[in-house]
Amino acid sequence: MYPAAFEYHAPNSVQDALGLLGRLKDDAKVLAGGHSLIPMMKLRLAQPKHLIDLRKVPGLAGIREDGGMIAIGAMTTHWQVESSSLVKGKCPILSEAASVIGDPQVRNLGTLGGSLAHADPAADLPAAAIALGVELVCEGPKGRRTVKADDWFKGLMQTALREDELLVEIRVPVWPSGTGGCYMKFPHPASRFAVVGVGAVVTVDGKGVCSKASVGVTGAGTRAVRAKGVEAGLQGKKLDAATIEAAAQKAAEGVDVQADLQGSVEYKSHLCRVFARRSIEAAVKRAQG
Ligand SMILES: Cc1cc2nc3c(=O)[nH]c(=O)nc-3n(C[C@H](O)[C@H](O)[C@H](O)COP(=O)(O)OP(=O)(O)OC[C@H]3O[C@@H](n4cnc5c(N)ncnc54)[C@H](O)[C@@H]3O)c2cc1C
């Protein structure tokens, strides 16, 4: 299947890209790694008249430490996130989530910004982004603004990004020592997308008491969400098996679980609870070194 005809643009600065977006409006789509947009165009689920390719725009890819945060350019590929020693050292759950996306071809072309802008309900990175509490930096005609991961995912493939904006950077807070994280998913056997995926980050003190817990769930509903009930069940408590199990029971609360070809609401809710428990158990082990 071939996409409908479109005009291709290759701007060489963010300003040029924003100028094109402002001029072409709804008729245009931004192209990053193309691993979600091009399949959609081939299926004629998207038929933009113009494609604005970001690959020649300098400064949109790369990973650096900046003021207690890890700053990752939107055009940084999944493979670069997966293999970065800075990301692996400071926020390993992000590397872990990137490493289980699709296959090497997808990870070498797909981008962090593309995944978060696309907001596929079965994507892996949204759960890790929520668990880590990342900030998303958008640039538009009026300058830059920052959106918290909690406010980013609005609905099925809908985000807080405005039509005239680009997602330019993802800023990841560095968690304190005594923190461990884990991203785990039940992958669809064919596509590898998450039927359910859970990202968990916990900080544990010397007595095994949880001072902070952050949990994101993807796959089961129309958008990735924070599992607030699970977090409340962990914070301030000694993280033994019974506490983790009881907290994980709340993992499907607040998720608009959808029945589809991959499972019933009951089955997917069950997967949320199972993967929340497994992900938290692994995060606690890692926090305790
Ligand atoms: C075979 C296959 C298997 C896959 N398996 C998985 C998987 O297991 N897990 C998973 O999470 N994902 C999976 N994916 C999706 C993959 O991660 C995509 O790369 C990703 O979702 C989109 O990133 P991209 O850079 O390719 O974006 P594109 O496809 O280029 O763009 C996606 C959307 O985001 C918009 N966009 C992109 N970048 C920006 C930006 N900087 N600012 C504003 N808007 C932007 C585009 O306009 C478009 O609407 C798979 C894809 C394929 C083809």
Side-chain angles (χ1 to χ4, degrees), residues 9-30:
H9 305 264
N12 49 27
S13 72
V14 169
Q15 285 319 310
D16 284 354
L18 288 175
L20 284 163
L21 260 186
R23 183 162 62 80
L24 301 169
K25 299 193 162 49
D26 279 2
D27 286 341
K29 274 267 175 205
V30 162

Side-chain angles (χ1 to χ4, degrees), residues 3 43 46 52 58 82 122 139 154 163 167 188-190 203 208 213 231 237 246-247 249 268 274 281:
L43 292 167
I52 304 171
E82 172 188 354
E139 186 161 342
K154 296 288 188 196
E163 272 181 6
L167 175 58
H188 185 282
T203 308
E231 294 173 354
K237 307 221 170 87
Q249 288 303 312
K268 287 170 126 190
V274 170
E281 281 171 353

Side-chain angles (χ1 to χ4, degrees), residues 74-161:
M75 288 293 287
T76 307
T77 64
H78 303 319
W79 161 246
Q80 287 167 330
V81 173
E82 172 188 354
S83 60
S84 156
S85 50
L86 191 56
V87 178
K88 281 199 274 193
K90 305 273 185 178
C91 40
I93 171 183
L94 199 59
S95 290
E96 187 165 47
S99 76
V100 295
I101 292 175
D103 57 25
Q105 183 192 344
V106 175
R107 296 198 292 277
N108 271 293
L109 284 168
T111 64
L112 174 60
S115 178
L116 296 176
H118 190 57
D120 190 302
D124 296 291
L125 292 166
I130 289 172
L132 283 164
V134 309
E135 296 174 358
L136 299 104
V137 183
C138 308
E139 186 161 342
K142 293 183 184 152
R144 289 189 169 202
R145 71 187 176 105
T146 298
V147 181
K148 288 187 175 8
D150 282 353
D151 302 323
W152 181 255
F153 302 102
K154 296 288 188 196
L156 185 68
M157 292 179 176
Q158 287 180 335
T159 70
L161 188 73

Side-chain angles (χ1 to χ4, degrees), residues 26-267:
D26 279 2
D27 286 341
K29 274 267 175 205
V30 162
L31 178 71
H35 268 53
S36 291
L37 182 56
I38 301 292
M40 286 184 73
M41 289 171 63
K42 287 185 170 183
L43 292 167
R44 308 275 169 128
L45 295 171
Q47 299 195 32
K49 294 195 179 110
H50 299 267
L51 275 191
I52 304 171
D53 190 347
L54 295 182
R55 283 174 301 176
K56 294 203 173 113
V57 176
L60 285 183
I63 303 172
R64 65 184 205 286
E65 212 162 358
D66 181 27
M69 312 272 273
I70 306 299
I72 308 178
M75 288 293 287
T76 307
T77 64
H78 303 319
W79 161 246
Q80 287 167 330
V81 173
E82 172 188 354
S83 60
S84 156
S85 50
L86 191 56
V87 178
K88 281 199 274 193
K90 305 273 185 178
C91 40
I93 171 183
L94 199 59
S95 290
E96 187 165 47
S99 76
V100 295
I101 292 175
D103 57 25
Q105 183 192 344
V106 175
R107 296 198 292 277
N108 271 293
L109 284 168
T111 64
L112 174 60
S115 178
L116 296 176
H118 190 57
D120 190 302
D124 296 291
L125 292 166
I130 289 172
L132 283 164
V134 309
E135 296 174 358
L136 299 104
V137 183
C138 308
E139 186 161 342
K142 293 183 184 152
R144 289 189 169 202
R145 71 187 176 105
T146 298
V147 181
K148 288 187 175 8
D150 282 353
D151 302 323
W152 181 255
F153 302 102
K154 296 288 188 196
L156 185 68
M157 292 179 176
Q158 287 180 335
T159 70
L161 188 73
R162 296 178 186 140
E163 272 181 6
D164 56 357
E165 288 179 328
L166 293 173
L167 175 58
V168 290
E169 190 171 87
I170 293 86
R171 296 178 67 80
V172 190
V174 175
W175 283 53
S177 62
T179 297
C182 177
Y183 175 76
M184 220 180 254
K185 71 171 162 179
F186 184 78
H188 185 282
S191 73
R192 317 298 297 163
F193 273 95
V195 176
V196 164
V198 178
V201 181
V202 293
T203 308
V204 181
D205 69 15
K207 292 175 185 155
V209 174
C210 174
S211 55
K212 194 171 171 197
S214 187
V215 179
V217 179
T218 190
T222 54
R223 66 186 178 104
V225 294
R226 177 174 292 287
K228 291 180 183 160
V230 179
E231 294 173 354
L234 299 172
Q235 275 154 10
K237 307 221 170 87
K238 197 166 163 56
L239 296 184
D240 54 27
T243 303
I244 294 172
E245 173 65 38
Q249 288 303 312
K250 312 248 181 214
E253 287 179 9
V255 182
D256 60 338
V257 182
Q258 305 288 310
D260 55 22
L261 286 175
Q262 287 143 51
S264 62
V265 168
E266 193 183 29
Y267 176 65

